[in-house]
């Protein structure tokens, strides 16, 4: 068998951390390597892998199945405000919700653990998954566990897939924005990414930092009940910047963002400032960015606040000009908002 | 944040390779740590995580959703007869088929890659997934990609979840055997595990060894069309031994296995013999063990052979005595067949 070529031997081109960072390089990898191979699998009347949305929408005749998956490799696996188990469940519940599926049928639980990991740590992650799933009313009904030898894996990898059924037309695609739609965020941005950085770097001024990781399917449900939601996505890797660029590019509209309207917690803003990071580009794990029909925007905002999103805010609007781009009103001028293209801190989720 | 206890710090009890081997220790981990936390999530009229079956069955009113997941950590990721991509797709298709869902609605594709992995290797895995999914008529419609820093992960981890819809009553639970039912395997056993061992150890007599990794949903469909299939499972970790012990324990029947009737390829038998391994305890990745109503057994066997399972064989039967145990007729006597309890070679799938 030594005669077969070994694809794992060093190649000219290799995958880099930037390919996993959720920005431009990652989109290149997906567009070049992943999408072409599975494009033919995309459903004719639904949403497939070529849409690079938060999940797939598969018409079933009387509605659709929504399916999504995420692997979570966060380092460290336990952090202020959560752990990899809570992150996995919240991430998958939120991906379903971002597609319009706020009542998960089931989640799956795939664990990969290194031999030598304390059993108590695994039990803690499982307990956290159970608690988060229960809070989101998302039953976990099947799973898989693999053990890798010591040295083969750093940490705990948790994959969760989510499945939900929705009524016909209930999906919320990234490509659904029209000029005039208002944009909302459901709470302060950047807390997850900054809490993780603080956890890893031990800045010393990290006492008030805590990840925002949480399921927000209840907030999306409240928004949908209160008005016409036209688009939704959760601003994880690449933060609000990547979310808005995706909205603009996929919907073929421009986006105007009022930077001063975006809620950012003081502690998060301080750390971001010290590190020279833009809070708009830092991952959230318990937030949603919504596009809402102009006439319903205030009603949806009120509904979000009543449902627990007390710091939800109107932050911008879709416009006919600047097609495919995001313009930030800084208060003293304007700039284009780009998504992060290079290497971010790895293993943020 | 240094005041929080770190669950990843060394504990008295740790996860060991045996916990991932598919045998008794693994079942202990699942029964003690996983099932209690998610038992409440199990559907009243379906099959949940507490059944420890190949997947979940979730009634939907007019039938059921079948959902399954597996993470694949096989080492090396490229081996004779396949790679981690083919393994992942075949494994998930076969888990669905083992639940009676032979027409997958969709699969998900979750990749975790180490920075520095040749892009060509990732593309090769993706190509292999696309090819195997196409052969099994199982569209891949959503996915996720994570990159871990160099040194944090050995190899490529592929998680696949599978979703299918089935008609009411079409599920094939592990617990479905009744005394009198005949047992079939769809082809020679142990090829995957032995091919992997040979790949890693370079025995020198490995030219004829090739993994059996393949989707076999078509064979299960042919069997179901030809007669009453009462139970099904794919003999992966722990091999046919674990599959039959699970049949016996969950169905509350005894199982009599005719050892001489179990097909084993010559090359596989030779290597197993040299290493002192029991082919019945070695993983397959393209085989199914079926329980079939006694009167339909010959028809199902013919159908399997006609559908490409040319070495399918009747290998035993369910009996009323020996409740929960598997008795092997060795030709010169009898022995109880136990599932592997200790450490097997890690990262076999």
């Amino acid at each position: 068998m030594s005669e077969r070529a070994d694809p794992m031997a060093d190649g000219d081109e290799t995958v880099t951390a930037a390919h996993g960072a959720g920005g431009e390089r990652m989109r290149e990898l997906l567009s070049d390597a992943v999408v072409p191979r599975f494009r033919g699998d995309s459903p004719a009347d639904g949403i497939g892998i070529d849409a690079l949305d938060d999940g797939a929408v598969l018409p079933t005749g009387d509605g659709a199945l929504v399916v999504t998956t995420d692997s979570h490799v966060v380092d460290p696996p336990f952090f202020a405000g959560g752990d990899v188990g809570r992150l996995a469940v919240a991430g998958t519940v939120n991906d379903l919700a971002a597609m319009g599926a706020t009542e998960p049928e089931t989640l799956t639980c795939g664990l990969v653990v290194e031999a030598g990991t304390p059993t108590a740590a695994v039990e803690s992650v499982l307990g956290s998954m159970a608690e988060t799933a229960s809070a989101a009313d998302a039953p976990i009904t099947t799973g898989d566990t693999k053990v890798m030898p010591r040295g083969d894996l750093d940490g705990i990898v948790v994959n969760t897939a989510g499945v939900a059924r929705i009524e016909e037309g209930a999906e919320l695609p990234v490509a659904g924005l029209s000029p005039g739609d208002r944009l909302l965020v459901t709470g302060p941005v950047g807390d997850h990414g900054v809490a993780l950085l603080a956890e890893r770097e031990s800045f010393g001024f990290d006492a008030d930092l805590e990840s925002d990781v949480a399921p927000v399917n209840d907030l999306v449900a409240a928004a949908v009940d209160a008005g016409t939601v036209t688009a939704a996505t959760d601003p994880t890797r690449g933060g609000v910047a990547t979310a808005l660029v995706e909205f603009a590019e996929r919907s073929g509209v421009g986006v105007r963002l009022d930077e001063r309207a975006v809620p950012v917690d003081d502690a998060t803003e301080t750390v971001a400032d010290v590190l020279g990071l833009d809070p708009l580009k830092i991952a959230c794990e318990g937030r949603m960015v919504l596009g809402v029909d102009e006439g319903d925007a205030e009603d949806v905002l009120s509904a979000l606040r009543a449902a627990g999103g007390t710091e939800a805010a109107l932050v911008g609007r879709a416009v006919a000009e600047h097609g495919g781009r995001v313009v930030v009103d800084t208060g003293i001028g304007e700039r284009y908002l780009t998504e992060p293209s290079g290497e971010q801190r790895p293993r943020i989720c």
Side-chain angles (χ1 to χ4, degrees), chain A residues 5 107 120 313:
Chain A
L107 305 187

Side-chain angles (χ1 to χ4, degrees), chain A residues 25-300:
Chain A
R25 293 291 300 278
M26 177 157 193
R27 244 193 290 172
E28 283 170 21
L29 176 72
L30 296 177
S31 302
D32 296 351
V34 177
V35 168
R37 292 186 169 80
F38 302 119
R39 181 176 283 129
D41 288 355
S42 293
D45 302 322
I47 295 175
I49 211 164
D50 50 350
L52 293 178
D53 210 319
D54 298 290
V57 176
L58 311 168
T60 55
D62 58 343
L65 280 176
V66 181
V67 181
T68 186
T69 189
D70 263 315
S71 302
H72 295 84
V73 300
V74 64
D75 176 35
F78 297 86
F79 50 84
D83 61 29
V84 63
R86 179 170 173 83
L87 184 67
V89 170
T92 296
V93 166
N94 293 346
D95 276 345
L96 288 176
M99 300 305 296
T102 55
E103 297 178 6
E105 192 85 19
T106 191
L107 305 187
T108 65
C109 165
L111 297 181
V112 187
V113 182
E114 184 189 24
T117 303
T119 310
V122 177
E123 293 188 338
S124 185
V125 168
L126 289 166
S128 180
M129 294 183 77
E131 186 187 307
T132 313
S134 174
D137 207 3
I140 294 177
T141 59
T142 191
D144 175 59
T145 305
K146 292 285 170 12
V147 180
M148 289 174 83
R150 236 184 221 267
D152 284 5
L153 174 69
D154 177 69
I156 299 177
V157 175
V158 181
N159 177 285
T160 34
V163 182
R165 291 181 294 156
I166 57 171
E167 290 175 14
E168 204 175 332
E171 67 267 21
L172 297 175
V174 163
L177 276 194
S178 303
D181 288 355
R182 302 292 296 274
L183 293 162
L184 293 93
V185 296
T186 59
V189 307
D191 293 349
H192 176 73
V194 164
L196 257 289
L197 291 185
E199 191 84 38
R200 293 209 287 249
E201 310 295 342
S202 298
F203 297 131
F205 46 63
D206 48 13
D208 295 332
L209 298 174
E210 194 165 272
S211 168
D212 51 65
V213 57
V216 293
N217 52 328
D218 55 343
L219 292 184
V220 176
V224 168
D225 280 349
T228 301
V229 178
T230 57
T233 196
D234 53 338
T236 56
R237 285 178 285 181
V240 167
T242 288
L244 292 178
V245 169
E246 286 179 357
F247 270 178
E249 290 188 354
R250 292 320 150 63
S251 303
V253 299
V255 163
R256 290 192 71 88
L257 181 72
D258 178 359
E259 192 166 34
R260 296 160 302 176
V262 179
V264 184
D265 277 346
D266 288 346
T268 296
E269 185 140 42
T270 303
V271 174
D273 197 48
V274 168
L275 299 177
L277 298 172
D278 183 349
L280 294 175
K281 299 184 178 177
I282 301 175
C284 313
E285 289 291 345
R287 304 293 176 235
M288 197 68 68
V289 184
L290 303 173
V292 176
D293 194 72
E294 190 169 12
D296 296 338
E298 292 293 344
D299 288 345
V300 170

Side-chain angles (χ1 to χ4, degrees), chain A residues 320-341:
Chain A
E321 56 273 24
H322 303 292
R325 304 195 72 170
V326 179
V327 177
V328 182
D329 177 351
T330 64
I332 55 169
E334 292 185 348
R335 64 183 170 105
Y336 281 122
L337 182 65
T338 55
E339 58 181 333
S341 64

